[in-house]
Amino acid sequence: MTSNSKPTLSNRSQNFKNDEEDEETGMACDAESCGFQILNDDDIVTAHKEFDPVDDETDEDDDNNNNESSNGTSNADAFSALETAMEWYEQQSECYPPQLLLLKRIRDFAVKKRKRTMDVDLIVFPEEGLYSTDLDDPTWFINYGEDIPDPRTESANPCDQEEYDNRPVLRNLSCIAKKYGLYVVADEIDVKKWEVKDTCDEYNADYCVTDKNNCPSEGHFNFNTGIVFDRKGNLIVRYYKRYLFFEEDINVPKIFRNAYFETDFGKFTIDICFDSMFYDSVKGIEKSGVTSLVFPTYWFDHTPLVFFATPFQQAWSITNKVNVIAADAHDPRTGTVGSGIYSPDKGALVYTHNPDGRSKLLISNVPKSPSDDLRNIEPPNTKFFYLDYDEVTELEEEEPRHFQKECGINVLGAQPEYLTDYRCQLTSVRGYKFRKLEGTFGSFRICSKAFCCSLTYESESMNENYYFGVSGEPLNFQDTYVLGTEACFLARCESFNGRPCGNFILKSNTVFLFAEMRAAFSTKYIYPYAINSDIRLTDKDEWYFDGKSRIIYQNIKDNSLLFLGLYGRKYEEDKILDH
């Protein structure tokens, strides 16, 4: 079905154009959906040979551009600024080739969005996802940094303002937002020259010092920064990452601030990667009216599987009762592969978790409010695209998997040989008490400190090693963070160096008919996990979590269950260790 009119958010009909010649596809919500369109990028496309920003304009786009001419920069002018900025920058003596590559990636990515989507409301780029990473140099990303203004103290529309001509990343992202009339969420490095003042205030405290001896030797502070542009290209959010994941030469902000932005389809907050592990992140969504979290991340999959990207993202959405739009980078060598769009009722609407070395684009309708009856927006109109250089291919079936049996660096080594050589990191399970499952049915209880958890199960066979583990001990994470924890899980794993579950296995042939866990948690922050073989999220029709103490799995589709668990977080016990 085709249409020349652009559907509005409040009155959308299904509106598709699928033409093999021009490869345009329209995406729209159901008229009764109460939903909005989300784009979620798993990585950034890298090449586009030819580009004409006018050829694929619709008649309505031309009308809109004419109507806008009296109100400022038109959409067509904004988009042409993408090309102009790069041409200008390439001719400058201070042109830095990696940053020019970044600009071309942004431009190329926008071109592919134009060919594949219509009427999208929001797009999320991954943490560090706009950059060409260099694993041998932990400070490579500093070269891409720019001075990012604070929207609380000054208005900024880099697409319209000449003062941003020498800040091409901000300018191009702003122009993309303006051109397509969508919200753009991205991650960049904010480079701030230090200021020595008699007193500092809440607006400059992160890079203001009263003693010159406290200034960084490089002459500037660097912050891992989440930025958001509205539909007109205005910068509306600048958010500094608070909990760094061993990020060399990146500074921790002195004042922790949650950031919010209002849209015509709900109130959002933003976190970056490791921030989501801590209470500051949860506190950010407990603010009245927050409906969704945007989540740029460069996630490292860790065992046990509660620390794998997509199971964690889904559990976070379910427990904290918000939509989650998570965009992960894609580098299987570091266990970085999982992105998804989630609602607390349905769980994953669309997701990817496969170490295939390919860029993806995920699209889904999402309820405006997590409390909306999702029957009104079914099906969620999800789309999954591969972005392979100049070729865009839609995946119309379940995503294949390319996992090997094992992924732990303790088993395979920490030096992968090629891009798709997937590795997962290790988190200690020394605080757990384990019991190996014997036979095809059983029921037992394990206590760790004051925390107790029970398991009842029945399976068709038990020819692979499964363990039930329980811990009430705080987790010491790489001698840097201590995380308050109450957890129990059922998992396929093997002993390693004489310890149970030293090697978590990613594949299974064991079919559980039924499994139930019950635990007496002392915290209300309990995250549920159900994962099938090959790190496929178990269909929500097959498991139920009561939100307090109980998870039940009932096999319907004859899949092999790999992992089932409840992970309680006692945020009040968290600590950052001094070094």
Side-chain angles (χ1 to χ4, degrees), residues 59 62 128 139 146 150 180 286 337 368 436 450 475 548 575:
D59 292 339
D62 293 335
E128 301 176 11
T139 64
E146 295 178 344
D150 186 348
Y180 295 107
E286 290 179 338
V337 296
K368 284 185 181 180
K436 185 178 179 180
L475 171 64
K548 298 178 180 179
K575 298 177 183 178

Side-chain angles (χ1 to χ4, degrees), residues 124-125 184-187 224-228 236-242 257-261 267-273 275-276 280-281 284-285 290 292-297 316 325:
V124 181
F125 289 89
V184 173
V185 181
D187 177 81
N224 188 337
T225 308
I227 50 179
V228 182
I236 57 174
V237 167
R238 186 192 71 182
Y239 166 81
Y240 289 160
K241 184 177 182 180
R242 295 165 286 191
R257 301 182 187 89
N258 291 306
Y260 306 94
F261 59 101
K267 179 183 286 187
F268 284 70
T269 187
I270 180 173
D271 282 319
I272 300 175
C273 201
D275 284 348
S276 61
D280 287 305
S281 175
I285 59 92
V290 172
S292 302
L293 168 73
V294 287
F295 186 49
T297 181
W316 212 97
I325 302 95

Side-chain angles (χ1 to χ4, degrees), residues 314 528-532 536-538 543 551 553 561 563-565:
Q314 175 176 263
Y529 295 81
I531 308 168
N532 289 344
R536 299 182 188 274
L537 297 178
T538 306
W543 64 278
I551 186 171
Y553 169 80
L561 183 67
F563 189 96
L564 185 73

Side-chain angles (χ1 to χ4, degrees), residues 81-96:
L82 298 175
E83 293 292 284
T84 303
M86 283 186 294
E87 292 173 1
W88 172 86
Y89 185 61
E90 194 166 8
Q91 296 172 4
Q92 305 308 303
S93 59
E94 65 271 23
C95 173
Y96 184 63

Side-chain angles (χ1 to χ4, degrees), residues 3 50 53 61 235 259 272 277 306 324 371 423 447 503 578:
S3 171
E50 296 182 358
D61 287 335
L235 179 67
I272 300 175
M277 292 289 293
V306 293
V324 171
S371 62
R423 293 287 190 274
C447 294
N503 180 19
D578 295 327

